[in-house]
């Protein structure tokens, strides 16, 4: 299984290059990528605007040698056409039978959620929290091929509307949280810190039993 991580946008609403913003000990991009450890053999990062910054970030991640999967940066020369062009670019690089797709600014998804989605079969498998679909989405080879054959002026929603979707209910608000604005970033930091404290408290309690 492989994953496509979309990191080609302008970050125009974030007032910063959001992929390299800090979140705990990692960047937003690494937090997103890290959830595929032990699940995917390769993560394809699609870059566009300021791709050299994404490359530097991937070099840092690779230097840490913390992950078993390969990270491949792919440059989308048509990133100015919008996200669907980056999705198509990523899909053109996928070799595995099934693949995940997620924006690079969705750093709060639990690894358990990714594992759960990976275990379910279907052309389109989507994690759902409070009856809202989120990320990452798992796609079959058939859907990937359909994306590649679709007019670049279209979008992912139009393609996915042609398939039955399998929604997996998860106890994970992180599937819905991304970083579009400075306010979003602050909310993501607050949620990350709160969850980290809860996990430390839980682990400490378990250790005292």
């Amino acid at each position: 299984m492989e994953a496509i991580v979309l990191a080609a946008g302008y970050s125009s609403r974030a007032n910063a290059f959001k992929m390299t913003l800090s979140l705990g000990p990692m960047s937003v991009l690494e937090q997103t990528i890290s959830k595929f450890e032990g699940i995917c053999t390769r993560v394809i990062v699609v870059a566009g605007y300021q791709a050299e910054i994404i490359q530097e970030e991937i070099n840092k991640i690779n230097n840490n040698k913390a992950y078993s999967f390969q990270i491949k940066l792919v440059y989308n020369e048509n990133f100015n056409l919008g996200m669907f062009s980056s999705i198509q670019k990523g899909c053109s690089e996928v070799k595995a039978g099934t693949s995940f797709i997620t924006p690079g600014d969705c750093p709060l998804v639990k690894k358990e959620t990714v594992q759960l989605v990976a275990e379910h079969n279907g052309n389109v498998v989507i994690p759902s929290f409070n009856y809202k679909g989120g990320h990452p989405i798992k796609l079959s080879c058939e859907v990937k091929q359909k994306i590649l054959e679709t007019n670049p002026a279209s979008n992912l929603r139009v393609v996915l509307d042609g398939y039955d979707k399998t929604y997996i209910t998860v106890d994970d608000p992180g599937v819905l949280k991304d970083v579009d604005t400075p306010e979003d970033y602050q909310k993501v930091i607050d949620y990350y810190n709160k969850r980290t404290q809860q996990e430390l408290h839980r682990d400490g309690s378990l250790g005292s039993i």
Side-chain angles (χ1 to χ4, degrees):
M1 193 176 296
E2 296 177 322
I4 300 167
V5 175
L6 305 169
Y10 289 102
S11 300
S12 55
R13 287 192 287 163
N15 294 340
F17 196 65
K18 59 187 177 183
M19 297 300 167
T20 55
L21 291 171
S22 295
L23 185 59
M26 305 179 191
S27 65
V28 165
L29 180 61
E30 185 175 0
Q31 287 282 5
T32 301
I33 289 174
S34 69
K35 307 309 183 343
F36 297 106
E37 172 61 25
I39 300 168
C40 293
T41 56
R42 194 164 69 130
V43 173
I44 299 158
V45 179
V46 184
Y49 179 66
Q50 295 193 338
E52 65 281 359
I53 296 179
I54 298 293
Q55 183 64 70
E56 287 174 13
E57 183 62 27
I58 290 174
N59 291 343
K60 285 183 201 171
I61 296 170
N62 282 332
N63 288 339
N64 291 335
K65 298 181 179 175
Y67 307 109
S68 61
F69 51 69
Q70 176 194 1
I71 305 174
K72 178 174 184 179
L73 181 137
V74 178
Y75 178 67
N76 175 21
E77 60 278 2
N78 297 314
F79 71 90
N80 59 306
L81 298 179
M83 186 179 287
F84 192 62
S85 70
S86 293
I87 292 171
Q88 289 182 312
K89 188 72 175 184
C91 285
S92 71
E93 295 288 336
V94 169
K95 298 173 183 175
T98 55
S99 55
F100 285 102
I101 188 162
T102 185
D105 65 344
C106 291
L108 295 175
V109 177
K110 295 177 183 176
K111 187 176 176 183
E112 295 88 344
T113 296
V114 180
Q115 184 67 58
L116 194 63
V117 174
E119 292 168 356
H120 280 76
N121 294 323
N123 276 319
V124 181
V125 184
I126 304 172
S128 172
F129 180 76
N130 279 354
Y131 304 102
K132 291 182 181 178
H135 291 96
I137 299 171
K138 190 179 83 165
L139 305 176
S140 69
C141 188
E142 179 185 338
V143 178
K144 179 202 79 172
Q145 194 57 40
K146 183 66 176 177
I147 288 170
L148 291 173
E149 294 168 358
T150 298
N151 188 311
S154 187
N155 60 67
L156 184 62
R157 185 185 299 275
V158 169
V159 176
L160 299 188
D161 280 347
Y163 294 89
D164 290 334
K165 301 176 186 68
T166 302
Y167 287 93
I168 310 300
T169 301
V170 295
D171 183 18
D172 184 2
V175 302
L176 303 178
K177 295 182 182 293
D178 58 8
V179 183
D180 278 337
T181 66
E183 292 76 20
D184 290 337
Y185 178 46
Q186 188 57 54
K187 288 176 183 176
V188 162
I189 291 173
D190 293 344
Y191 178 85
Y192 175 84
N193 290 338
K194 180 181 176 182
R195 192 169 77 183
T196 301
Q197 287 300 316
Q198 288 172 340
E199 289 170 355
L200 288 172
H201 179 73
R202 186 184 67 229
D203 293 344
S205 299
L206 288 173
S208 63
I209 292 174

